[in-house]
Amino acid sequence: MPLPSFNASGLLPPVAGSTAVDRDRSPYFITSTELIHSLGTTPRRKQLLRNLLAYRALMYENGYVSGIQFLDGSFVEDVERHSGRDPGDIDVYSLLDAPARFLQHPELWQTDEGFKFWEDEIQNQPLNKARFELDTYALLIQELPFGNLLQDVMYWYSLFSHQKVTFAWKGFVAVLLDQRTDAEALGLLGGS
């Protein structure tokens, strides 16, 4: 399903359905190709989307092939209209399954391709901000007990569902990791 249109305030509506209890609500689950069609509307937005796909490719190359990313910030707002500027970055919160090799052989997690890669590449917010223009945060699903995982997800949901400055309630986007669809999305952007 495509994203709903921005509301009069330039935000994705928190609820797209017709009633307060309608299930058609944020986060809006879309594919990376739907993301390109919905929010890849300017050269700046297209560049940020290429960067997001490059970050996801980094994950895929290292076995992080299952998970979900919640996307937020000015990128999922009509910031060009309501603030007269381009989006500065994309806020990305990733919930990822550990690669199968680490689940089958936990001792591999202690190698450079394990925890060090996770910490230095996927979770390294300053590095990802510099190289991808993404404000990244990530969590391994297997890392926390269920209650702590739920608490973390609820924190990010509450953070992403309100505009930082005005506290206005708003919608945001969820995109599952999917290498095939990401390849199609990159093609739509004209990237390689």
Side-chain angles (χ1 to χ4, degrees), residues 103-143:
L103 298 176
Q104 294 163 358
H105 303 283
E107 69 279 4
L108 291 177
W109 185 244
Q110 301 309 315
T111 67
D112 284 351
E113 66 181 58
F115 179 74
K116 184 167 177 34
F117 178 84
W118 171 260
E119 189 175 58
D120 291 351
E121 299 291 333
I122 293 177
Q123 273 198 325
N124 191 332
Q125 189 274 342
L127 176 64
N128 292 326
K129 182 75 167 185
R131 68 180 169 181
F132 297 125
E133 297 178 285
L134 302 175
D135 194 6
T136 60
Y137 304 89
L139 179 70
L140 282 175
I141 293 169
Q142 294 82 2
E143 186 175 49

Side-chain angles (χ1 to χ4, degrees), residues 59-170:
M59 292 176 180
Y60 298 143
E61 290 168 10
N62 290 280
Y64 296 89
V65 296
S66 177
I68 189 168
Q69 291 180 315
F70 296 106
L71 309 179
D72 191 46
S74 61
F75 184 79
V76 298
E77 299 177 13
D78 191 0
V79 68
E80 294 89 346
R81 186 174 55 83
H82 75 62
S83 297
R85 65 174 179 86
D86 287 327
D89 62 12
I90 304 175
D91 296 349
V92 183
Y93 173 60
S94 302
L95 282 168
L96 304 172
D97 277 315
R101 69 184 181 277
F102 301 128
L103 298 176
Q104 294 163 358
H105 303 283
E107 69 279 4
L108 291 177
W109 185 244
Q110 301 309 315
T111 67
D112 284 351
E113 66 181 58
F115 179 74
K116 184 167 177 34
F117 178 84
W118 171 260
E119 189 175 58
D120 291 351
E121 299 291 333
I122 293 177
Q123 273 198 325
N124 191 332
Q125 189 274 342
L127 176 64
N128 292 326
K129 182 75 167 185
R131 68 180 169 181
F132 297 125
E133 297 178 285
L134 302 175
D135 194 6
T136 60
Y137 304 89
L139 179 70
L140 282 175
I141 293 169
Q142 294 82 2
E143 186 175 49
L144 294 175
F146 179 74
N148 297 77
L149 177 65
L150 188 58
Q151 187 176 31
D152 201 68
V153 170
M154 289 171 63
Y155 167 78
W156 286 97
Y157 174 84
S158 67
L159 187 66
F160 278 13
S161 63
H162 291 85
Q163 202 172 35
K164 185 171 30 177
V165 175
T166 67
F167 296 103
W169 193 28
K170 66 185 188 76

Side-chain angles (χ1 to χ4, degrees), residues 1-5 12 28-30 34-35 38-39 76 172-174:
M1 178 184 341
L3 284 178
S5 298
L12 288 175
Y28 297 105
F29 284 74
I30 61 174
E34 291 168 329
L35 181 65
S38 297
L39 296 176
V76 298
F172 62 98
V173 175

